[in-house]
Amino acid sequence: MNTRTAFSAMSMSATCTLACLAAMPAGANDTMAELVAGGLNFVQTDAVSMVEEDLYISPERVTVDYVFRNTSDSQVTSYIAFPMPDIKGDYESEIALNDREADNFLGFTVTQDGQPIQPNLQQRVIATGIDMTDDVRGQDVPLLPFSDRTHEALAKLPSDVLEDWRARGLIYDDVYEDAGEMKHHPIPLWTLQSAYWWKTTFPAGQDVRVHHEYSPGVGGTAGISFAGEEFKGDDWFDKNQREYRQKYCIDDSFMRLADKLQKDMSAGTGPYYTESWISYVLKTGANWAGPIGKLRITIDKGDKANFVSFCGNGVKKTGPTTFEMNAVDFMPEQDIHVLLLVRAQSEN
């Protein structure tokens, strides 16, 4: 797949956007890892290759099927890691998560050769580029920034701890007046980095099949942020539109469509559309030996009333809402970014 060729098409489901203000990746390819002091260290291998990858991406579900092959003469025992998307706390942002209170916030499951695996989970709290996991855990504060339990625990911390965390960039102090009294509401600003990992054996000359799936965290806006003739000429708008064109390979036809949707919404003469974003980190597939032998990527838009733009080569429409790309001996150098314009469901 070449990520510089544009492809735009109609179609998806409006149930996964609206309040989502921050984009987040849907996940990443499996990668090789070693377990060292301090946790996982992602590494490359010359012994095990990714023979096949079959990737399906939709707003509702992401599934990945791999075939790995040990090309060496000896058995290889190592770790497979699946890096989860970073979760960044932000007082202005909201992210659609499968479960706000669970460490497994996207409902990740994995099987190997048809047998379920209970993976380990590594999580790290990062603020201002520094690992502060021990500080947060030491105060019995949950690590997931958007968890209600996290906010409840923060509200109970002593004032000196809160002041220290604010100064170190862990939290933001949301100050407001309530009945004549100033209230302080600490909000997490840290980034949570998570990775699932499990130990596995690759027999010499044999294939190992791995399957996993999860619900992606879908970002988006309550409108269309990159379109509208009336906004052109504004520095921020023009910069944002250029970034969208490059990231999602938006062509002139798709841009005209988005401008018309924006114009009709403003005039009250057309249906309401919002944006949804789904990304997939494909580059970690380069950690295996050689290129990906056979790669198939299916993008599912979910509903024919919506529109999609993404980058790809040789894209074929395979169903009312699905589009497929295939490649052989593929070396992943860029990630997948999908832009969906989602028609809001009627209230009637």
Side-chain angles (χ1 to χ4, degrees), residues 164-183:
D164 176 58
W165 284 18
R166 186 198 63 76
R168 298 164 66 190
L170 270 169
I171 62 170
Y172 167 79
D173 187 14
D174 183 19
V175 182
Y176 59 94
E177 184 177 348
D178 183 17
E181 182 181 357
M182 300 306 296
K183 300 286 188 179

Side-chain angles (χ1 to χ4, degrees), residues 31-34 41-48 78 283-290 331:
T31 184
M32 213 57 155
E34 61 181 357
N41 181 30
F42 304 132
V43 298
Q44 289 186 311
T45 177
D46 294 326
V48 181
S78 187
K283 289 185 290 188
T284 49
N287 285 357
W288 301 94
M331 183 59 71

Side-chain angles (χ1 to χ4, degrees), residues 30 68 80 110-117 198-203 207-212:
D30 279 354
F68 297 107
I80 296 180
V110 57
T111 64
Q112 183 167 309
D113 292 328
Q115 299 300 312
I117 291 174
W198 58 97
K199 192 174 184 179
T200 194
T201 297
F202 300 92
D207 290 346
V208 171
R209 299 178 182 273
V210 174
H211 168 89
H212 50 66

